[in-house]
């Protein structure tokens, strides 16, 4: 399967092929919902999307997953080394993930500023543990979530000028991350982080001390429940805005994005159905449901690629 994808993407150099294979393995191992959605993309689109995921995961592992005993100074140094190596081009030997993502960035002419924004937000995670208001949180998400949505957009293709579709792509990335912030509030507290605007929490009488009480006691105080419900509503609104941009994508990309949006937004359903008990267990969409949604999307994607389904959108003026 991966050989077919690499051939379809016109990636024939053996070193590049192995680099993209590494990124695909990372995606399959760590991004279950995201990887499932990528199966709905055309074969030539999958390797570059895996490369972008691999790069994001590489940076995230420096922050959180690899050797949690490392000090922040060492993590900061490693992030800086990652940045230096990425922007240095082919001037030095590379990790396979960097080889693949740089190749993808060049091939699709992805603005290097988006990678700078991403790495800036990753550095913020080294020192910033709270966000006083929505503007501050949005500043973080501009690099950590919106930039990734914008990186993927040239691979997906659009039927309108890219600038017209960009706000919706950015919003979808933001919606995905806001979902994570609500679902993972307990896990983030264990890392001494709160990714919810402090002033909005305070409107319901919630502060870090109360969140830590919920974390220690594995239950959700009613004030926290009300605050999370308010964040839930904001995230729902963000999904509704992002959904309007699906019709602006190239037809072959719409089933994938629609499936990802459906599955991720259903995490919100699970959180609400659990009455916001995010401190006692992690909300997930069941495997059977994920497979049903992905299966329906796969059929639609096959029909689109084989010209048997009308997926008309705006008049075409960009790459499809």
């Amino acid at each position: 399967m991966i050989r077919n994808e690499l051939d379809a993407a016109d990636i024939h150099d053996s070193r590049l092929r192995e680099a993209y294979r590494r990124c695909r393995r990372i995606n399959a191992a760590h991004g279950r919902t995201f990887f499932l959605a990528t199966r709905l993309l055309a074969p030539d689109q999958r390797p570059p999307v895996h490369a972008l995921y691999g790069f994001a995961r590489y940076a995230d592992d420096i922050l959180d997953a690899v050797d949690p005993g490392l000090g922040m100074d060492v993590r900061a140094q490693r992030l800086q080394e990652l940045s230096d190596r990425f922007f240095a081009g082919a001037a030095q030997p590379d990790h396979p993930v960097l080889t693949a993502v740089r190749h993808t960035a060049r091939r699709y002419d992805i603005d290097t500023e988006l990678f700078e924004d991403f790495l800036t937000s990753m550095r913020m995670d080294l020192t910033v543990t709270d966000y006083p208001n929505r503007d501050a949180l949005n500043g973080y998400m501009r690099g950590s979530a919106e930039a990734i949505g914008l990186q993927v957009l040239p691979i997906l293709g659009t039927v309108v000028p890219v600038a017209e579709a960009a706000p919706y792509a950015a919003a979808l990335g933001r919606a995905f991350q806001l979902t994570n912030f609500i679902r993972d509030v307990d896990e983030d507290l264990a890392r001494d982080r709160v990714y919810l605007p402090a002033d909005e929490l305070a409107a319901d009488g919630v502060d870090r001390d109360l969140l830590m009480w919920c974390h220690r006691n594995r239950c959700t105080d009613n004030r926290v429940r009300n605050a999370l419900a308010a964040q839930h509503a904001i995230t729902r609104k963000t999904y509704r805005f992002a959904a309007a941009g699906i019709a602006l994508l190239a037809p072959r990309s719409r089933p994938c994005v629609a499936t990802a949006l459906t599955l991720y937004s259903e995490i919100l359903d699970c959180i609400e159905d659990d009455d916001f008990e995010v401190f006692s267990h992690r909300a997930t969409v069941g495997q059977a449901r994920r497979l049903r949604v992905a299966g329906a999307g796969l059929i639609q994607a096959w029909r689109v690629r084989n010209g048997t389904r009308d997926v008309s959108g705006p008049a075409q003026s960009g790459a499809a």
Side-chain angles (χ1 to χ4, degrees):
M1 180 66 73
I2 181 60
R3 179 180 297 178
N4 293 339
E5 293 173 0
L6 294 171
D7 289 344
D10 197 28
I11 299 168
H12 302 294
D13 177 82
S14 59
R15 179 168 168 266
L16 271 178
R17 288 170 76 90
E18 180 52 37
Y20 278 101
R21 287 191 184 98
R22 174 74 69 90
C23 293
R24 186 182 189 275
R25 289 195 293 269
I26 292 171
N27 195 344
H30 299 286
R32 292 188 307 165
T33 297
F34 186 79
F35 183 75
L36 187 62
T38 64
R39 306 305 303 150
L40 278 62
L41 291 171
D44 66 288
Q45 294 174 301
R46 297 171 198 162
V49 170
H50 293 325
L52 292 174
Y53 180 93
F55 181 71
R57 183 74 197 191
Y58 190 179
D60 189 62
D61 280 350
I62 291 174
L63 290 168
D64 294 322
V66 176
D67 192 356
L70 286 180
M72 287 300 176
D73 54 342
V74 176
R75 294 180 188 276
Q77 180 182 348
R78 291 188 179 181
L79 269 180
Q80 187 58 51
E81 290 171 354
L82 173 62
S83 177
D84 292 344
R85 291 169 66 190
F86 175 80
F87 291 109
Q92 54 183 297
D94 281 325
H95 190 285
V97 168
L98 290 175
T99 299
V101 75
R102 277 208 304 262
H103 180 261
T104 288
R106 289 194 302 269
R107 170 174 276 193
Y108 290 91
D109 195 25
I110 301 172
D111 191 342
T112 56
E113 186 175 333
L114 295 174
F115 294 97
E116 292 172 353
D117 289 345
F118 170 74
L119 290 168
T120 295
S121 288
M122 294 303 96
R123 292 187 190 98
M124 289 174 66
D125 274 331
L126 294 170
T127 57
V128 179
T129 59
D130 299 87
Y131 293 86
N133 51 48
R134 180 70 52 178
D135 285 346
L137 184 62
N138 284 343
Y140 170 76
M141 290 192 292
R142 194 155 32 248
S144 63
E146 295 181 12
I148 293 174
L150 295 172
Q151 289 169 12
V152 173
L153 193 55
I155 300 167
L156 299 178
T158 61
V159 294
V160 296
V162 170
E164 187 175 332
Y168 301 96
L172 186 58
R174 190 166 66 252
F176 289 165
Q177 190 161 57
L178 288 170
T179 302
N180 287 341
F181 290 162
I182 298 171
R183 180 191 62 187
D184 299 338
V185 61
D186 184 67
E187 181 180 328
D188 290 332
L189 280 166
R191 297 189 177 109
D192 195 34
R193 299 177 194 154
V194 178
Y195 292 105
L196 301 172
D199 60 342
E200 295 176 19
L201 296 179
D204 286 294
V206 176
D207 58 14
R208 177 182 274 269
D209 288 342
L210 182 56
L211 290 173
M212 286 304 301
W213 183 90
C214 295
H215 173 68
R216 289 192 301 269
N217 291 279
R218 320 308 299 162
C219 66
T220 304
D221 180 276
N222 281 334
R223 290 165 292 179
V224 174
R225 182 174 287 106
N226 292 335
L228 293 178
Q231 298 300 311
H232 186 280
I234 291 169
T235 306
R236 280 281 184 218
K237 184 177 180 180
T238 307
Y239 274 112
R240 286 195 293 271
F241 176 81
I246 292 176
L248 307 184
L249 299 175
R252 69 178 186 158
S253 298
R254 294 174 197 167
C256 169
V257 176
T259 297
L261 186 151
T262 297
L263 289 175
Y264 242 88
S265 65
E266 286 190 4
I267 295 174
L268 289 181
D269 295 337
C270 295
I271 294 170
E272 187 173 34
D273 291 344
D274 291 340
D275 201 22
F276 298 96
E277 290 292 342
V278 295
F279 297 93
S280 57
H281 64 278
R282 194 171 190 261
T284 58
V285 177
Q287 178 75 356
R289 173 59 180 166
R290 292 195 302 126
L291 292 176
R292 282 198 302 273
V293 173
L298 187 62
I299 292 171
Q300 184 182 14
W302 183 88
R303 288 176 175 172
V304 170
R305 291 201 293 269
N306 288 276
T308 59
R309 180 178 175 85
D310 178 16
V311 286
S312 57
Q316 193 169 33
S317 60

